[in-house]
Amino acid sequence: MNTIPNRIAVAIKRANPEETSSVEVMQYSLGIILNTLFIIIATATVGLLTGHFGKFMTFLLSCSILRLTSGGFHLKTARACNLFSIGLCTLIPYLFSFSGMTLTIINIISLLIMLLFAPNPDKNARMPLRIYPLLKLLSVLLVILNFFIHSSVIGLAFIVQSLTVIPWIRREKQ
């Protein structure tokens, strides 16, 4: 997955060597952008082919927005992240649907996890500690919103994302 971002970064650097960042920095940034785009396109394609476009894209968007505020576990490679994300966004809302009390319980569990563990940003994220309370508040408010929307797809996305916030493995002290 690094070949395409590297080729693009090298081409950009070659076109404007003085006013561009290093190839490594551009490759890293382009890798994130292209991986995200790949997940969106693949999820949308599967959704269109199966007739579940709205459901899959709602799951992807809900999970992504909550992830921005809450952080969560990262897989070691871009390929693993792509496959896992596409699988989650297409399988979970296709296989599961909850309503009534079950959805309320899922929302409560997501809310409790956010209250206890959010935010849990990646160790490489350079976010100042002073914004952590705001990130927690936004995460909690997003989950609370689904008590009013009462969407099974959003509830599923939130519970899946909430589980990635729990620090299952202790981090090494830096």
Side-chain angles (χ1 to χ4, degrees), residues 25-166:
V25 168
M26 289 189 290
Q27 178 182 337
Y28 179 76
S29 300
L30 286 165
I32 292 170
I33 292 166
L34 292 175
N35 284 325
T36 303
L37 191 59
F38 179 72
I39 292 167
I40 293 168
I41 290 170
T43 301
T45 301
V46 174
L48 287 169
L49 292 173
T50 61
H52 296 283
F53 178 80
K55 193 184 287 191
F56 294 174
M57 296 309 287
T58 299
F59 186 94
L60 176 61
L61 181 64
S62 300
C63 202
S64 298
I65 291 171
L66 186 57
R67 187 167 186 83
L68 285 173
T69 62
S70 66
F73 178 77
H74 285 269
L75 296 172
K76 294 196 186 307
T77 66
R79 178 173 288 148
C81 178
N82 289 344
L83 295 173
F84 189 73
S85 296
I86 294 163
L88 278 178
C89 293
T90 56
L91 290 175
I92 298 292
Y94 181 77
L95 295 175
F96 302 100
S97 180
F98 300 110
S99 60
M101 187 53 88
T102 306
L103 180 57
T104 301
I105 291 169
I106 286 173
N107 287 335
I108 290 169
I109 293 169
S110 297
L111 180 61
L112 290 173
I113 292 171
M114 288 299 145
L115 285 168
L116 292 171
F117 300 112
N120 186 5
D122 179 54
K123 65 182 176 185
N124 295 322
R126 295 184 181 147
M127 286 188 274
L129 289 175
R130 72 179 189 283
I131 69 166
Y132 278 33
L134 176 62
L135 294 173
K136 180 184 285 289
L137 176 63
L138 291 172
S139 299
V140 166
L141 289 174
L142 283 168
V143 174
I144 288 173
L145 188 60
N146 199 42
F147 283 97
F148 299 100
I149 298 171
H150 215 66
S151 165
S152 178
V153 174
I154 294 172
L156 286 166
F158 285 175
I159 191 68
V160 167
Q161 172 53 31
S162 295
L163 294 173
T164 73
V165 175
I166 299 171

